[in-house]
């Protein structure tokens, strides 16, 4: 049976998904034919390797070859591979497959000159510029393991990642650009290296004309100078063969404590799964223009700004701008129309921001969107009113799909290439091939239809999903595999309906989702607790009309603190920005006399959240002192 879709109008989803579960090895062996292997795998799935088995064991491959060289060799040399569209710098830059390959070969050679070899880590702390894509692919080319750190994280977060990944080299830039603000990257980089115990050998720094930076002698090297010299000298690195099971990248994501988890992505499984998804899920054909409006610092950016479209021979748009304000709420439609994108992937929060500025969709009608076929949403639950608005305005299917940094690609979605299933608002539709998604109770027993429970994925996870956490097999097993034996725990809660549609309703841990960005409230509490005047604290996510949720910190000050609470609250807000970064959007700190607790001392977060969100709530029977909740209500007045 053909495991690729044929989009003949009738959905092949049920047949394809059933086959993927009944015969996973046959299914993925066939999907793997889309990849150019140096040595084909000896086993499609080897259950004896890794923490729960490994995909494509024995296979030898190069990810960069599959993204670039093979397309250049087979007729796509002059096709545009990457369109960088930046309203923030007022520029559009296009690179063909041949040009991108040339850049990647040169930078890869430069990195080899710094001694970077297969398995070495390289951290990228980069804004949304084409050089960031070149750097990721250059790492892949020489078998180095990249770890991209989102530009909105502060120095301390970068330092934690440097210590965990121990990179030989860091690639960065002088600045990022946010609306009305230049983000000075270099001081953050310097501070992170100062804080980190593990020091990189060197840094390659891209000087952007918007703000150049001082270089640290004997450590920092000018990107443009190295590039020029490598190209002049005709330097070019060849593809280094790596095992399919070797890591391609590490991407850190919020864990339940302040220490982020280093999600590992392998080469072979990632290639096969992400390539499969480009047509079968997203309905995009090679040669077409695709736009994923995320940031390369997030998993969505890895899979669908960089790797997926290039594995597929498509043209990928990389956007350095915002949905609104760069210059207006028509920015997305301008990009889709100007570059003739057939499909677009963004987060629901972006649509809420656009809808607020342009409720009647006037901007939408100013652009020719005739090539545009499908809108995909992910990163947070797509709330039905937002989906309905987008459908009415755009008149194309709006598809919510659910995934995690850990999975690297979609867990549940609506497969356009296999033939779309009916959309149900509030549901990301159905599990993708290889995913057996179950809803279970605390004893790991499946619950009935339409009953809420923990969402789990039957092991083994399909190709593309994380095999482990970087250097932390035990933490991986403990965090994901131990609570529900035989399953991977998603830490999302939800239910499945009578048609097998999955509904993802929220997290079961301390993770909150702020404007599509994943953040740990536990990590923020650690920062609040480090303030000398704070005796106790709790951070929780409260409803926000645009960002979905924003963090709100409650502080109990130490006895004897005489300073005005407002002053301390301001310091706390600055502290979170300084330690975690602006991306936390932590702007609400509220001093209270005490935190409402149960008699056994647990903070009543759920009830506090309901009060803050203006929802109805009942007094918990186990509360220590009911008055404490009234006090929270008083403290919140006029603040949220
Ligand atoms: N480097 C430095 N700072 C950054 C940054 C980066 N790469 N990205 C964001 N920030 C800063 C912002 O400037 C802002 O700072 P401020 O507090 O000084 O205003 C802060 O981090 C919060 O940013 P953001 O969450 O982006 O909010 P916003 O108010 O600037 O914009 C939206 C709101 C909805 C327009 C925006 O969040 C958005 O487009 N989100 C889409 C999310 C997305 O694509 N997620 C990927 C998953 S699919
Ligand atoms: P991240 O690892 O940053 O991609 O965040 C993953 C988390 O975001 C998931 O565990 C969910 O809680 C949430 N999420 C992502 N996409 C969706 C979606 N389509 N519906 C509901 N929740 C989502």
């Amino acid at each position: 049976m053909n495991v690729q879709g044929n989009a003949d109008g009738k959905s092949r989803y049920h047949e394809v998904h059933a086959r993927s579960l009944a015969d996973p090895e046959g299914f993925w062996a066939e999907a793997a034919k889309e990849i150019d292997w140096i040595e084909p795998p000896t086993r499609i799935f080897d259950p004896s390797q890794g923490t729960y088995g490994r995909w494509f064991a024995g296979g030898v491959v190069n990810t960069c070859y599959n993204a670039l060289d093979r397309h250049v060799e087979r007729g796509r040399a002059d096709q545009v591979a990457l369109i960088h569209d930046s309203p923030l710098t007022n520029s559009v830059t296009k690179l063909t497959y041949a040009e991108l390959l040339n850049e990647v070969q040169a930078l890869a050679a430069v990195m080899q000159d710094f001694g970077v070899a297969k398995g070495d880590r390289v951290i990228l702390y980069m804004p949304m510029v084409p050089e960031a894509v070149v750097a990721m692919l250059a790492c892949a080319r020489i078998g180095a393991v990249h770890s991209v750190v989102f530009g909105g994280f502060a120095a301390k977060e970068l330092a934690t990642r440097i210590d965990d990944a121990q990179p030989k080299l860091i690639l960065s830039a002088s600045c990022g650009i946010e609306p009305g603000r230049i983000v000075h990257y270099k001081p953050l980089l310097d501070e992170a290296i100062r804080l980190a115990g593990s020091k990189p050998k060197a840094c390659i720094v891209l000087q952007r004309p918007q703000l150049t930076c001082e270089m640290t002698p004997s450590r920092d090297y000018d990107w443009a100078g190295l590039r020029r010299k490598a190209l002049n000298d005709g330097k070019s690195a060849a593809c280094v063969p790596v095992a399919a099971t070797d890591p391609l990248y590490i991407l850190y994501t919020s864990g339940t404590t302040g220490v982020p988890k280093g999600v590992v992505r392998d080469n072979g499984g990632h290639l096969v799964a992400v390539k499969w998804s480009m047509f079968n899920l997203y309905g995009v054909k090679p040669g077409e223009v695709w736009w994923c409006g995320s940031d390369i610092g997030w998993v969505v950016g890895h899979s669908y700004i960089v790797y997926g479209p290039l594995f597929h021979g498509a043209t990928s748009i990389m956007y350095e701008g915002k949905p609104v304000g760069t210059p207006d709420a028509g920015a997305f439609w301008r990009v889709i129309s100007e570059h003739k994108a057939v499909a677009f992937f963004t987060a629901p929060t972006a649509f809420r921001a656009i809808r607020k500025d342009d409720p009647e969709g006037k901007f939408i009608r100013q652009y020719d969107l005739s090539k545009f076929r499908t809108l995909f949403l992910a990163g947070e639950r797509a709330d039905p009113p937002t989906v309905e608005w987008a459908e009415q305005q755009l008149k194309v299917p709006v598809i919510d799909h659910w995934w995690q940094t850990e999975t690297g690609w979609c867990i549940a979605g609506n497969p356009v290439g296999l033939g779309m299933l009916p959309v149900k608002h509030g549901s990301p539709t159905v599990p993708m091939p290889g995913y057996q998604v179950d809803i279970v109770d605390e004893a790991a027993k499946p619950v009935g239809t339409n009953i809420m429970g923990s969402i789990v994925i039957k092991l083994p996870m399909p190709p593309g999903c994380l095999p482990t956490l970087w250097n932390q097999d035990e933490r991986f097993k403990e965090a994901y595999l131990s609570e529900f034996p035989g399953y991977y725990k998603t830490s999302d809660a939800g239910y499945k309906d009578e048609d097998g549609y999955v509904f993802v309703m929220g997290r079961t841990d301390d993770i909150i989702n702020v404007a599509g960005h994943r953040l740990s409230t536990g990590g923020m509490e650690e920062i609040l607790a480090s303030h000398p005047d704070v005796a106790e604290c709790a951070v929780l996510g409260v409803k926000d009309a645009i960002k979905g949720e924003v963090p709100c910190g409650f502080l109990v000050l130490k006895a004897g603190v005489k300073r005005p609470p407002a002053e301390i609250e301001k310091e706390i807000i600055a502290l979170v920005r300084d330690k975690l970064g602006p991306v936390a959007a932590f702007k609400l700190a509220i001093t209270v006399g005490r935190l409402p607790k149960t008699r056994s001392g647990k903070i009543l977060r759920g009830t506090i959240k309901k009060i803050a969100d203006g929802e109805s709530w009942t007094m918990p029977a186990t509360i220590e002192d009911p008055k404490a909740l009234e006090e929270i209500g008083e403290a919140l007045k006029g603040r949220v």
Side-chain angles (χ1 to χ4, degrees), residues 126-127 150-153 176 178-179 181 183 185 293-295 298 300 321-324 332 345-347 349-350 353 378-379 514-517 546-547 577 581-585 587:
M126 301 279 298
F150 178 62
F153 282 124
E178 285 290 293
R181 178 165 73 96
V183 185
Y185 272 29
S294 180
D295 187 289
W298 308 120
V300 171
K322 299 268 172 179
V324 292
F332 278 5
F345 176 171
T346 187
T349 185
V514 180
H517 310 313
I546 303 293
K547 297 192 179 197
R577 197 175 170 94
V583 68
K587 297 190 174 163

Side-chain angles (χ1 to χ4, degrees), residues 442-523:
E442 280 162 13
K445 268 188 44 206
V447 297
T449 301
N450 290 318
I451 294 178
M452 281 275 279
S454 293
I455 314 182
V456 293
I457 299 167
K458 186 113 178 111
L459 292 175
M461 309 269 277
C465 295
L466 81 172
T468 190
L469 294 174
W470 180 248
N471 282 340
Q472 289 195 313
D473 283 355
E474 285 314 310
R475 186 178 180 199
F476 171 71
K477 288 186 207 157
E478 168 67 29
Y480 298 100
L481 309 185
S482 64
E483 190 171 337
F484 302 106
Y487 288 107
Y488 162 89
K489 173 174 88 168
T490 65
S491 293
D492 277 311
Y495 61 93
K496 278 202 295 191
D497 75 1
E498 48 290 344
D499 297 321
Y501 279 50
V502 181
F503 288 75
V504 184
M505 305 310 290
R507 298 278 305 195
T508 56
D509 56 9
D510 75 330
I511 299 290
I512 57 169
N513 208 308
V514 180
H517 310 313
R518 172 169 160 178
L519 298 163
S520 151
T521 53

Side-chain angles (χ1 to χ4, degrees), residues 379-381 400-405 492 504 507 513 518:
E380 59 179 314
R381 180 163 186 265
D400 178 20
H401 63 321
W402 167 56
W403 47 307
Q404 307 185 314
T405 304
D492 277 311
V504 184
R507 298 278 305 195
N513 208 308
R518 172 169 160 178

Side-chain angles (χ1 to χ4, degrees), residues 535-536 554-557 590-596 628 631-632 635:
E536 226 187 340
F554 292 90
L555 319 168
V556 178
L557 301 182
I590 300 176
T591 308
V592 290
R594 58 184 166 160
L595 293 168
E631 290 165 21
I632 289 284

